Amino acid sequence: MVDVEGKFVLASGKWPFLTENYLLMLDLGTEKIENLIIFAGHDWENETETILFTGLDSRGRSVWEKE
């Protein structure tokens, strides 16, 4: 996770998956990010198929992750 100054920080929290609409929510304690879209993709760095998600946080900043 990136803090308000743009520095990378480790974060822990909950990752509930909303099965009725296939959306992910991140609950990091001080920040909740809802309606993350999950999709299959390719990890070019590791040459393998992977799971990706993307969306916007409460401030409108883009959020993305590859597993």
Side-chain angles (χ1 to χ4, degrees):
M1 183 173 169
V2 178
D3 68 9
V4 294
E5 295 175 0
K7 297 178 184 174
F8 286 100
V9 294
L10 294 176
S12 62
K14 298 178 183 177
W15 301 54
F17 178 65
L18 309 173
T19 56
E20 62 275 1
N21 52 9
Y22 301 105
L23 295 174
L24 181 68
M25 182 181 86
L26 296 180
D27 182 351
L28 304 172
T30 58
E31 177 79 37
K32 286 186 181 179
I33 305 169
E34 299 179 340
N35 300 323
L36 293 167
I37 300 168
I38 300 170
F39 55 100
H42 186 79
D43 181 343
W44 296 103
E45 295 170 324
N46 297 309
E47 301 281 331
T48 187
E49 298 302 310
T50 190
I51 298 171
L52 307 167
F53 67 79
T54 189
L56 298 174
D57 71 5
S58 61
R59 296 180 189 151
R61 298 175 295 185
S62 65
V63 175
W64 56 269
E65 175 68 39
K66 71 175 180 178
E67 293 299 313

XYZ file of all heavy atoms in Angstrom:
545
model
N 0.847 -1.170 0.000
C 0.000 0.000 0.000
C 0.894 1.235 0.000
O 1.985 1.220 0.548
C -0.878 -0.035 1.246
C -1.848 1.067 1.329
S -2.949 0.777 2.733
C -3.738 2.330 2.773
N 0.426 2.298 -0.598
C 1.171 3.557 -0.649
C 0.502 4.550 0.290
O -0.712 4.719 0.267
C 1.189 4.111 -2.089
C 1.917 5.424 -2.147
C 1.806 3.103 -3.035
N 1.293 5.222 1.128
C 0.719 6.195 2.054
C 0.480 7.534 1.345
O 0.718 7.674 0.148
C 1.592 6.353 3.298
C 2.940 7.014 3.024
O 3.167 7.510 1.901
O 3.778 7.024 3.935
N 0.013 8.543 2.093
C -0.343 9.834 1.492
C 0.851 10.579 0.910
O 0.689 11.469 0.082
C -1.083 10.738 2.511
C -2.418 10.162 2.878
C -0.232 10.977 3.741
N 2.067 10.204 1.314
C 3.268 10.843 0.777
C 3.850 10.053 -0.405
O 4.901 10.405 -0.920
C 4.314 10.974 1.877
C 3.876 11.904 2.992
C 4.866 11.941 4.140
O 5.901 11.253 4.073
O 4.599 12.662 5.103
N 3.164 8.985 -0.804
C 3.631 8.189 -1.928
C 4.657 7.138 -1.567
O 5.264 6.543 -2.443
N 4.845 6.863 -0.275
C 5.804 5.859 0.160
C 5.104 4.517 0.348
O 3.978 4.464 0.844
C 6.456 6.266 1.485
C 7.265 7.534 1.373
C 7.839 7.918 2.719
C 8.570 9.253 2.621
N 9.023 9.719 3.919
N 5.778 3.429 -0.041
C 5.213 2.100 0.129
C 5.262 1.691 1.594
O 6.282 1.858 2.259
C 5.979 1.066 -0.708
C 5.675 1.158 -2.164
C 6.543 1.806 -3.023
C 4.515 0.622 -2.681
C 6.273 1.912 -4.368
C 4.222 0.721 -4.027
C 5.103 1.368 -4.871
N 4.136 1.171 2.100
C 4.048 0.690 3.477
C 3.339 -0.660 3.477
O 2.507 -0.937 2.619
C 3.295 1.679 4.394
C 4.055 2.974 4.551
C 1.900 1.950 3.872
N 3.679 -1.515 4.438
C 2.993 -2.785 4.588
C 1.665 -2.544 5.294
O 1.577 -1.743 6.217
C 3.836 -3.763 5.393
C 5.138 -4.202 4.736
C 5.926 -5.094 5.696
C 4.868 -4.944 3.444
N 0.636 -3.255 4.872
C -0.675 -3.107 5.490
C -1.286 -4.479 5.693
O -1.063 -5.389 4.904
C -1.577 -2.258 4.606
N -2.023 -4.616 6.754
C -2.758 -5.847 6.985
C -4.221 -5.485 7.168
O -4.561 -4.357 7.509
C -2.219 -6.573 8.219
O -2.386 -5.759 9.361
N -5.084 -6.448 6.940
C -6.505 -6.178 7.075
C -7.321 -7.352 6.634
O -6.854 -8.487 6.607
N -8.568 -7.092 6.272
C -9.506 -8.124 5.833
C -9.804 -7.920 4.355
O -9.806 -6.796 3.864
C -10.788 -8.039 6.649
C -10.565 -8.286 8.119
C -11.850 -8.133 8.880
C -11.582 -8.306 10.365
N -12.786 -8.095 11.150
N -10.077 -9.026 3.671
C -10.365 -8.991 2.243
C -11.669 -9.720 1.953
O -11.665 -10.783 1.346
C -9.253 -9.674 1.464
C -7.892 -9.125 1.621
C -7.192 -8.904 2.762
C -7.035 -8.721 0.564
N -5.962 -8.402 2.497
C -5.829 -8.283 1.138
C -7.158 -8.704 -0.816
C -4.771 -7.818 0.384
C -6.100 -8.240 -1.568
C -4.927 -7.799 -0.967
N -12.830 -9.218 2.369
C -14.081 -9.920 2.087
C -14.393 -9.939 0.586
O -14.187 -8.952 -0.112
C -15.142 -9.117 2.831
C -14.422 -8.116 3.654
C -13.020 -8.032 3.174
N -14.869 -11.100 0.132
C -15.267 -11.268 -1.270
C -16.780 -11.352 -1.317
O -17.384 -12.200 -0.656
C -14.632 -12.524 -1.847
C -15.016 -12.799 -3.270
C -14.646 -11.928 -4.275
C -15.735 -13.925 -3.608
C -14.989 -12.166 -5.597
C -16.081 -14.184 -4.926
C -15.708 -13.302 -5.919
N -17.403 -10.462 -2.072
C -18.856 -10.416 -2.182
C -19.290 -11.325 -3.320
O -19.261 -10.936 -4.489
C -19.316 -8.972 -2.417
C -18.755 -7.942 -1.416
C -19.134 -6.539 -1.836
C -19.235 -8.249 -0.014
N -19.675 -12.551 -2.984
C -19.958 -13.559 -4.005
C -21.180 -13.228 -4.856
O -21.241 -13.638 -6.010
C -20.155 -14.944 -3.362
O -21.188 -14.861 -2.373
C -18.879 -15.419 -2.716
N -22.137 -12.481 -4.322
C -23.344 -12.195 -5.104
C -23.064 -11.300 -6.305
O -23.760 -11.361 -7.302
C -24.444 -11.581 -4.222
C -24.100 -10.250 -3.597
C -23.337 -10.360 -2.284
O -23.037 -11.475 -1.838
O -23.024 -9.307 -1.710
N -22.023 -10.469 -6.256
C -21.703 -9.624 -7.408
C -20.227 -9.703 -7.801
O -19.756 -8.890 -8.587
C -22.128 -8.171 -7.158
C -21.586 -7.629 -5.849
O -20.770 -8.253 -5.187
N -22.037 -6.460 -5.473
N -19.504 -10.676 -7.257
C -18.110 -10.955 -7.617
C -17.186 -9.747 -7.442
O -16.357 -9.460 -8.284
C -18.010 -11.487 -9.052
C -18.802 -12.735 -9.255
C -20.008 -12.710 -9.941
C -18.362 -13.938 -8.741
C -20.749 -13.858 -10.119
C -19.105 -15.094 -8.910
C -20.294 -15.051 -9.594
O -21.022 -16.186 -9.757
N -17.361 -9.025 -6.346
C -16.523 -7.872 -6.055
C -15.741 -8.113 -4.767
O -16.195 -8.817 -3.872
C -17.361 -6.607 -5.914
C -18.095 -6.147 -7.168
C -18.994 -4.970 -6.845
C -17.138 -5.800 -8.274
N -14.580 -7.512 -4.676
C -13.714 -7.634 -3.512
C -13.741 -6.327 -2.733
O -13.832 -5.243 -3.322
C -12.284 -7.927 -3.973
C -11.223 -8.117 -2.901
C -11.485 -9.405 -2.121
C -9.849 -8.168 -3.541
N -13.679 -6.418 -1.397
C -13.565 -5.239 -0.563
C -12.313 -5.390 0.291
O -12.048 -6.463 0.819
C -14.773 -5.095 0.348
C -14.711 -3.847 1.197
S -16.102 -3.655 2.313
C -15.544 -4.602 3.706
N -11.519 -4.338 0.393
C -10.358 -4.324 1.275
C -10.692 -3.483 2.492
O -11.106 -2.333 2.361
C -9.139 -3.711 0.583
C -8.584 -4.420 -0.622
C -7.387 -3.649 -1.166
C -8.186 -5.840 -0.288
N -10.524 -4.058 3.672
C -10.717 -3.332 4.914
C -9.372 -3.292 5.614
O -8.930 -4.272 6.204
C -11.762 -4.027 5.779
C -12.049 -3.280 7.068
O -11.328 -2.309 7.382
O -13.001 -3.668 7.757
N -8.676 -2.161 5.514
C -7.334 -2.019 6.078
C -7.354 -1.296 7.415
O -6.328 -0.812 7.872
C -6.437 -1.281 5.082
C -6.348 -1.919 3.704
C -5.603 -1.017 2.747
C -5.704 -3.281 3.783
N -8.506 -1.203 8.018
C -8.629 -0.522 9.311
C -8.951 0.949 9.138
O -10.047 1.379 9.414
N -7.989 1.720 8.643
C -8.216 3.151 8.431
C -8.758 3.448 7.044
O -9.220 4.552 6.790
C -6.909 3.941 8.618
O -5.938 3.447 7.697
C -6.384 3.788 10.032
N -8.701 2.493 6.155
C -9.148 2.683 4.763
C -9.967 1.485 4.330
O -9.574 0.343 4.535
C -7.939 2.834 3.841
C -8.269 2.976 2.376
C -8.725 4.368 1.984
O -8.181 5.336 2.531
O -9.606 4.470 1.124
N -11.141 1.753 3.752
C -11.958 0.701 3.153
C -12.049 0.987 1.664
O -12.369 2.098 1.263
C -13.353 0.662 3.763
C -13.367 0.091 5.148
C -14.770 -0.073 5.650
C -14.726 -0.638 7.062
N -16.062 -0.798 7.617
N -11.726 -0.019 0.884
C -11.792 0.113 -0.572
C -12.809 -0.906 -1.060
O -12.632 -2.105 -0.879
C -10.417 -0.132 -1.210
C -9.377 0.800 -0.582
C -10.489 0.066 -2.716
C -7.953 0.472 -0.947
N -13.886 -0.427 -1.659
C -14.986 -1.299 -2.066
C -15.059 -1.416 -3.578
O -14.484 -0.624 -4.313
C -16.302 -0.750 -1.516
C -16.325 -0.688 -0.003
C -17.611 -0.122 0.553
O -18.333 0.573 -0.198
O -17.898 -0.382 1.723
N -15.796 -2.425 -4.028
C -16.108 -2.642 -5.443
C -14.878 -2.853 -6.314
O -14.802 -2.347 -7.432
C -16.951 -1.494 -5.988
C -18.259 -1.354 -5.254
O -18.863 -2.351 -4.867
N -18.689 -0.148 -5.024
N -13.904 -3.595 -5.803
C -12.747 -3.955 -6.616
C -13.132 -5.076 -7.563
O -13.739 -6.071 -7.161
C -11.583 -4.400 -5.722
C -10.985 -3.291 -4.858
C -10.087 -3.882 -3.790
C -10.226 -2.297 -5.705
N -12.800 -4.924 -8.819
C -13.129 -5.914 -9.849
C -12.006 -6.935 -9.924
O -10.833 -6.579 -10.015
C -13.323 -5.223 -11.209
C -14.458 -4.203 -11.096
C -13.592 -6.245 -12.301
C -14.556 -3.264 -12.262
N -12.372 -8.216 -9.903
C -11.405 -9.313 -9.954
C -11.460 -9.941 -11.339
O -12.540 -10.146 -11.897
C -11.751 -10.371 -8.894
C -11.721 -9.734 -7.518
C -10.797 -11.548 -8.972
C -12.264 -10.614 -6.443
N -10.281 -10.250 -11.886
C -10.246 -10.893 -13.199
C -8.956 -11.692 -13.359
O -7.996 -11.503 -12.629
C -10.399 -9.863 -14.331
C -9.409 -8.738 -14.284
C -8.284 -8.752 -15.098
C -9.597 -7.653 -13.442
C -7.367 -7.708 -15.061
C -8.690 -6.604 -13.407
C -7.578 -6.635 -14.215
N -8.973 -12.616 -14.310
C -7.799 -13.436 -14.610
C -6.867 -12.654 -15.520
O -7.309 -11.864 -16.352
C -8.220 -14.732 -15.284
N -5.565 -12.875 -15.347
C -4.592 -12.189 -16.179
C -3.298 -12.972 -16.265
O -3.195 -14.093 -15.771
N -2.319 -12.357 -16.870
C -1.011 -12.992 -17.032
C 0.043 -12.157 -16.319
O 0.115 -10.944 -16.508
C -0.660 -13.129 -18.514
C 0.589 -13.898 -18.738
N 0.625 -15.274 -18.681
C 1.853 -13.507 -19.004
C 1.871 -15.689 -18.903
N 2.628 -14.624 -19.103
N 0.836 -12.811 -15.492
C 1.942 -12.175 -14.791
C 3.176 -12.296 -15.684
O 3.788 -13.352 -15.777
C 2.164 -12.870 -13.446
C 3.296 -12.257 -12.636
O 4.122 -11.510 -13.212
O 3.354 -12.520 -11.433
N 3.535 -11.214 -16.353
C 4.656 -11.239 -17.301
C 5.999 -11.379 -16.594
O 6.949 -11.913 -17.154
C 4.627 -9.986 -18.174
C 3.415 -9.947 -19.029
C 2.297 -9.187 -18.830
C 3.160 -10.727 -20.198
N 1.366 -9.441 -19.792
C 1.871 -10.389 -20.665
C 3.882 -11.686 -20.896
C 1.301 -10.954 -21.778
C 3.310 -12.247 -22.019
C 2.046 -11.884 -22.448
N 6.088 -10.903 -15.359
C 7.347 -11.024 -14.602
C 7.656 -12.469 -14.229
O 8.802 -12.901 -14.268
C 7.284 -10.177 -13.335
C 7.199 -8.694 -13.621
C 6.885 -7.891 -12.382
O 6.111 -8.350 -11.517
O 7.423 -6.779 -12.284
N 6.600 -13.213 -13.854
C 6.791 -14.597 -13.417
C 6.344 -15.626 -14.449
O 6.348 -16.821 -14.160
C 6.049 -14.825 -12.089
C 6.622 -13.967 -10.995
O 7.820 -13.953 -10.762
N 5.772 -13.206 -10.320
N 5.920 -15.162 -15.638
C 5.521 -16.051 -16.731
C 4.466 -17.064 -16.314
O 4.595 -18.270 -16.540
C 6.749 -16.790 -17.286
C 7.839 -15.895 -17.812
C 7.557 -15.352 -19.195
O 6.864 -16.030 -19.968
O 8.024 -14.244 -19.489
N 3.389 -16.589 -15.681
C 2.329 -17.481 -15.210
C 0.977 -16.764 -15.223
O 0.920 -15.539 -15.248
C 2.648 -17.992 -13.787
O 1.689 -18.969 -13.417
C 2.651 -16.877 -12.778
N -0.087 -17.553 -15.226
C -1.433 -16.990 -15.097
C -1.631 -16.575 -13.637
O -1.072 -17.183 -12.724
C -2.479 -18.018 -15.501
C -2.359 -18.466 -16.950
C -2.458 -17.317 -17.932
O -3.410 -16.512 -17.823
O -1.587 -17.219 -18.813
N -2.437 -15.545 -13.411
C -2.627 -15.051 -12.045
C -3.994 -14.394 -11.901
O -4.735 -14.266 -12.869
C -1.506 -14.050 -11.676
O -1.574 -13.772 -10.289
C -1.612 -12.765 -12.473
N -4.298 -13.981 -10.695
C -5.530 -13.251 -10.389
C -5.163 -11.785 -10.194
O -4.195 -11.463 -9.510
C -6.192 -13.809 -9.122
C -6.579 -15.270 -9.342
C -7.401 -12.969 -8.735
C -7.033 -15.973 -8.089
N -5.959 -10.897 -10.788
C -5.734 -9.456 -10.700
C -6.971 -8.788 -10.113
O -8.073 -9.318 -10.232
C -5.474 -8.879 -12.092
C -4.386 -9.537 -12.932
C -4.489 -9.060 -14.359
C -3.026 -9.242 -12.356
N -6.786 -7.635 -9.477
C -7.940 -6.819 -9.125
C -7.587 -5.358 -9.267
O -6.428 -4.959 -9.188
C -8.509 -7.147 -7.740
C -7.638 -6.806 -6.571
C -7.550 -5.512 -6.096
C -6.944 -7.797 -5.906
C -6.778 -5.201 -4.994
C -6.170 -7.506 -4.793
C -6.094 -6.192 -4.340
N -8.622 -4.545 -9.517
C -8.429 -3.114 -9.701
C -9.688 -2.364 -9.287
O -10.779 -2.934 -9.250
C -8.069 -2.779 -11.157
O -7.687 -1.415 -11.241
C -9.214 -3.050 -12.111
N -9.517 -1.092 -8.952
C -10.632 -0.239 -8.573
C -10.131 1.112 -8.119
O -8.982 1.475 -8.372
N -10.983 1.847 -7.423
C -10.637 3.179 -6.919
C -10.858 3.227 -5.413
O -11.824 2.659 -4.903
C -11.496 4.254 -7.582
C -11.361 4.396 -9.094
C -12.388 5.390 -9.615
C -9.955 4.815 -9.474
N -9.962 3.918 -4.698
C -10.149 4.071 -3.257
C -11.101 5.242 -2.994
O -11.636 5.850 -3.929
C -8.811 4.213 -2.527
C -8.107 5.539 -2.767
O -8.669 6.431 -3.435
O -6.977 5.683 -2.275
N -11.312 5.571 -1.720
C -12.271 6.613 -1.356
C -11.862 8.004 -1.828
O -12.676 8.910 -1.914
C -12.469 6.634 0.161
O -11.238 6.913 0.813
N -10.582 8.187 -2.172
C -10.098 9.475 -2.681
C -10.002 9.505 -4.203
O -9.498 10.456 -4.780
C -8.726 9.762 -2.090
C -8.766 9.928 -0.591
C -7.403 10.199 -0.045
N -7.430 10.136 1.400
C -6.412 9.791 2.141
N -5.262 9.463 1.584
N -6.514 9.758 3.446
N -10.416 8.417 -4.854
C -10.385 8.367 -6.305
C -9.059 7.914 -6.889
O -8.856 7.994 -8.092
N -8.152 7.438 -6.045
C -6.854 6.938 -6.518
C -7.000 5.495 -7.003
O -7.769 4.727 -6.439
C -5.807 6.994 -5.415
C -5.531 8.399 -4.910
C -4.592 8.399 -3.769
N -5.221 7.702 -2.623
C -4.680 7.624 -1.422
N -3.504 8.151 -1.174
N -5.317 6.998 -0.455
N -6.270 5.148 -8.051
C -6.362 3.783 -8.577
C -5.680 2.797 -7.650
O -4.662 3.086 -7.029
C -5.752 3.710 -9.978
O -4.373 3.979 -9.923
N -6.291 1.616 -7.539
C -5.782 0.522 -6.727
C -5.688 -0.678 -7.644
O -6.614 -0.950 -8.411
C -6.757 0.217 -5.568
C -6.321 -0.992 -4.782
C -6.925 1.426 -4.673
N -4.571 -1.396 -7.597
C -4.436 -2.613 -8.395
C -3.494 -3.573 -7.689
O -2.664 -3.172 -6.883
C -3.964 -2.307 -9.823
C -2.682 -1.549 -9.867
C -2.514 -0.192 -9.885
C -1.356 -2.089 -9.865
N -1.188 0.123 -9.904
C -0.450 -1.023 -9.890
C -0.838 -3.403 -9.850
C 0.935 -1.212 -9.897
C 0.537 -3.580 -9.858
C 1.387 -2.484 -9.896
N -3.657 -4.830 -8.004
C -2.852 -5.869 -7.371
C -2.804 -7.087 -8.271
O -3.751 -7.367 -8.991
C -3.439 -6.264 -6.023
C -2.743 -7.412 -5.326
C -1.337 -7.068 -4.850
O -1.111 -5.961 -4.374
O -0.473 -7.951 -4.969
N -1.700 -7.767 -8.240
C -1.599 -9.080 -8.874
C -1.163 -10.054 -7.802
O -0.354 -9.729 -6.949
C -0.645 -9.084 -10.056
C 0.807 -8.958 -9.687
C 1.689 -9.091 -10.887
C 3.158 -8.957 -10.432
N 4.080 -9.120 -11.498
N -1.733 -11.227 -7.810
C -1.393 -12.249 -6.812
C -0.364 -13.190 -7.355
O -0.254 -13.435 -8.486
C -2.642 -13.020 -6.393
C -3.620 -12.159 -5.630
C -3.054 -11.593 -4.344
O -2.436 -12.325 -3.557
O -3.236 -10.409 -4.128
